[in-house]
Amino acid sequence: MAARLLTAVLPPVVSEVTVAILIGLVVGRIPWVRRAPLAPGLKVAAEQLLRLGIVFLGARLSVQQVVGIGLPAAAIIAVTMAGALAIVLGLARLAAIDGRLAVLLAVGAAVCGNSAVVATSPVIAARPRDTAYAVATVTLFGTIAVFAYPLIGHAARFGDAVFGLWSGIAINDTSQVVAASSAYSPGAFAVATVVKLIRNALMAPLLLLIAAVWSRRTGTAGDIRTGLRRAVPVFVLGFLLLSALRSVNVIGPDLAGALEAAARALILVALAAVGLNVRLEELRAVGPRPLAIGLGAAFAVGTATILAILAFGLANGLAV
């Protein structure tokens, strides 16, 4: 509520989600907010409400629009995911990072941030410390991207489709993609959401590949079933269902508008919770080498992606 009220009196370039995250970062430093009874509610807000908001957003786009964005972007997403995996694994090898932590950092950067890290952990039998380090690294650089990407986009005057494709591919976690793209423009938000959902959907097949390669190299197999259960993005199916209902006019313009307004409110609450959940002391505990790899990967993937989008016109025709 505070973020929405403040945004009404701030310059138009400042979005309500950016204000909500900033307020969350500040308020989250208050010891009372860190009390254990509040943790379950913050988790539900940051995860479940965000996914529900994305599902409701499906009512805004027809299947034709989703396909129009998704099909041209699919090949780009596959190439950039493979490139991100290779970059992070290469950097981790140079820095002599433990293999499990290297894999977690790689999937976090290439696929879907913290969700990918949590899903991959049981597959490679990662230590809790490795999982915590990878989550903290993804959180740090994703949070920086939430603020840096819109500033860069406005300074360079990127179109909605260019920024949406860039943020949807190069930013790690779903909440961070939603925050950055919705802070930029509604058009960028729509493109980035579809692109990010494709990345999320590719997590399950990638997890099977990781399990096979890991088992061959180490001779050990982790808990693949648990990993796959965590990797299946059910909310993607919900988004597509509402998009299909919109396409056949079961969801009319009035209901679509109401669902979009509800989606904006849910996403705003979710991103406020994301800000409240950030723990700076956990980020400090990660150590220099994983942070260096995260920084190198974030810079390399972000720079290579936007250069390719601009040089080859990859965002042409993606605008909603």
Side-chain angles (χ1 to χ4, degrees):
M1 290 175 63
R4 184 158 283 184
L5 290 172
L6 282 172
T7 306
V9 298
L10 291 173
V13 72
V14 181
S15 74
E16 61 183 21
V17 295
T18 303
V19 175
I21 293 175
L22 284 172
I23 294 175
L25 289 171
V26 173
V27 175
R29 303 297 297 163
I30 300 173
W32 183 84
V33 178
R34 302 184 181 201
R35 293 175 58 203
L38 296 181
L42 288 175
K43 182 177 175 63
V44 168
E47 297 178 5
Q48 306 304 327
L49 294 190
L50 177 67
R51 293 170 182 170
L52 182 59
I54 292 173
V55 169
F56 284 175
L57 184 66
R60 179 176 181 264
L61 303 174
S62 67
V63 170
Q64 291 82 2
Q65 289 174 309
V66 173
V67 172
I69 297 170
L71 283 183
I76 307 168
I77 294 167
V79 171
T80 52
M81 283 176 59
L85 282 169
I87 289 170
V88 178
L89 290 175
L91 291 173
R93 194 165 196 174
L94 289 174
I97 293 292
D98 177 77
R100 289 181 174 85
L101 178 55
V103 171
L104 295 180
L105 290 171
V107 297
V111 190
C112 49
N114 292 335
S115 299
V117 171
V118 172
T120 306
S121 293
V123 174
I124 61 174
R127 297 169 299 182
R129 173 182 166 182
D130 294 333
T131 305
Y133 275 14
V135 167
T137 302
V138 168
T139 299
L140 173 61
F141 292 108
T143 302
I144 293 172
V146 166
F147 300 109
Y149 271 50
L151 292 175
I152 295 170
H154 285 300
R157 297 184 179 180
F158 292 153
D160 290 351
V162 169
F163 188 87
L165 182 60
W166 182 38
S167 58
I169 289 176
I171 300 178
N172 299 332
D173 201 64
T174 301
S175 61
Q176 297 157 356
V177 171
V178 168
S181 60
S182 59
Y184 196 76
S185 71
F189 180 34
V191 172
T193 300
V194 174
V195 170
K196 189 64 177 71
L197 292 183
I198 294 173
R199 287 174 65 194
N200 290 345
L202 292 174
M203 183 63 224
L206 179 61
L207 208 59
L208 292 174
L209 178 61
I210 290 172
V213 173
W214 186 262
S215 178
R216 180 183 299 177
R217 289 191 174 183
T218 65
T220 60
D223 187 353
I224 300 175
R225 182 175 298 178
T226 298
L228 284 175
R229 187 166 58 248
R230 294 174 178 175
V232 175
V234 178
F235 68 98
V236 175
L237 301 179
F239 176 92
L240 293 174
L241 174 61
L242 262 67
S243 180
L245 294 176
R246 178 76 178 96
S247 300
V248 296
N249 291 321
V250 172
I251 296 177
D254 292 341
L255 180 56
L259 289 173
E260 184 179 357
R264 286 184 57 207
L266 288 169
I267 289 170
L268 183 61
V269 171
L271 295 178
V274 169
L276 287 165
N277 277 324
V278 172
R279 296 288 179 263
L280 298 179
E281 61 274 14
E282 293 176 0
L283 301 179
R284 287 195 295 266
V286 171
R289 287 191 296 174
L291 286 179
I293 292 171
L295 176 60
F299 180 80
V301 173
T303 302
T305 301
I306 190 59
L307 289 177
I309 290 171
L310 295 175
F312 300 108
L314 300 179
N316 293 346
L318 294 187
V320 177

